[in-house]
Amino acid sequence: MQRTFSIALVCVEPALHATLLSIEPFRAANRLSQSPLFRIDFLSEDNDRSASLDKVLPCTASLDDGRAYDLVLLHSSYEFSGHRKSALFRWLRRQAASRAQICAFDAAPLLLAEAGLLKGYRATSHWSTIPSFRERHPDTDVVEQLFVVDRDRSTCAGQLASLDLSLDLLERFCGRAMKELVTNEIVYPAARSGASVQRQIVNGPIWQTNPVLARAQKLMQEMIEEPLSIEELAGHCGISARELQYLFRKYLKASPKSHYLTFRLQRAKELLLYSGLSVGETGLACGFSSPGSYFRAFRARYKTSPASYRKAFRENGDRPDGRRLY
């Protein structure tokens, strides 16, 4: 059996490489099959000819068209507040009503949530948008991983992870054999799973090679607002506090308390930069009992105050043509 599936590639201020990576597995499948498996339309939120890519990629369809698609690939890497947002939302809701598989990449999951299409779903997005995502849409279970496929919604961190999600979707549409043919064709035999981590800043491989350390890491990241004591942490890991201290010193060259503080301050940085919480609220959200303890810990680690860190970021890092990352 072969049928042609229809794909809508919708571009809203996207990253060019991520956009092209997301469609290449389907183009490769067309090359490898006896007849075309996928038909791809390019759309833009403002119906212009360039599809918002700053390259000549002529749009082949419009948001005003009445056609329904099997798969929607929505790309956005930056904040989008254009006058066509309401038209985009209406179009997305029509596709959802037609039972399309809707996929959002990078910052686009926030658009999907704003359109009301992620309520009760599990989702992800690029790590820089996750604090804002969780704050604005508490009815969505937001996790930090490469991609999430939950029923008829798929969300992805974007960038290079766009290829991993599209290969996963290709398997869902056409089977494992076609996916393996395509991964060989594009020389990408080790496609990553959705549960893979986005960053290695505080998620290094040593944590994952020891089950006790992996458990401790997960608990630390989950219990940011109400931190566990080292004794409680050890108890949840099924060992004594002394043994936990030994494992941290042996494998990570630091104490559990130091690593726990790293996770809390990492979250504080993200909230300072990417959420609407006040400076004091970011400290409370990261388990600091007083502004003074928050200030001292932050300054000791980053050589600046939380307020100064936020101010410098907003004054020096705000570029209208790109995302701001620390």
Side-chain angles (χ1 to χ4, degrees), residues 50-69:
S50 66
S52 299
L53 290 170
D54 295 325
K55 301 293 180 183
V56 179
L57 265 179
C59 293
T60 59
S62 165
L63 297 180
D64 300 324
D65 295 341
R67 68 183 73 175
Y69 292 89

Side-chain angles (χ1 to χ4, degrees), residues 287-302:
F288 292 95
S289 58
S290 70
S293 61
Y294 177 38
F295 177 90
R296 288 189 295 273
F298 197 96
R299 178 172 285 281
R301 184 64 61 92
Y302 302 120

Side-chain angles (χ1 to χ4, degrees), residues 172-191:
R172 293 169 189 267
F173 275 92
C174 299
R176 178 175 292 273
M178 178 55 75
K179 176 187 175 182
E180 291 177 351
L181 287 172
V182 167
T183 56
N184 288 338
E185 168 79 4
I186 64 175
V187 197
Y188 191 58

Side-chain angles (χ1 to χ4, degrees), residues 2-6 30 35-40 70:
Q2 285 203 352
R3 57 160 290 198
T4 300
F5 298 99
S6 57
N30 281 347
S35 59
L37 293 172
F38 299 96
R39 177 179 59 82
I40 303 171
D70 297 301

Side-chain angles (χ1 to χ4, degrees), residues 9-15 18-19 22 73-77 103-105 108 162:
L9 176 64
V10 187
C11 299
V12 183
E13 300 296 334
T19 305
S22 72
L73 305 178
L74 177 65
H75 279 269
S76 180
S77 294
C103 310
F105 298 81
S162 302

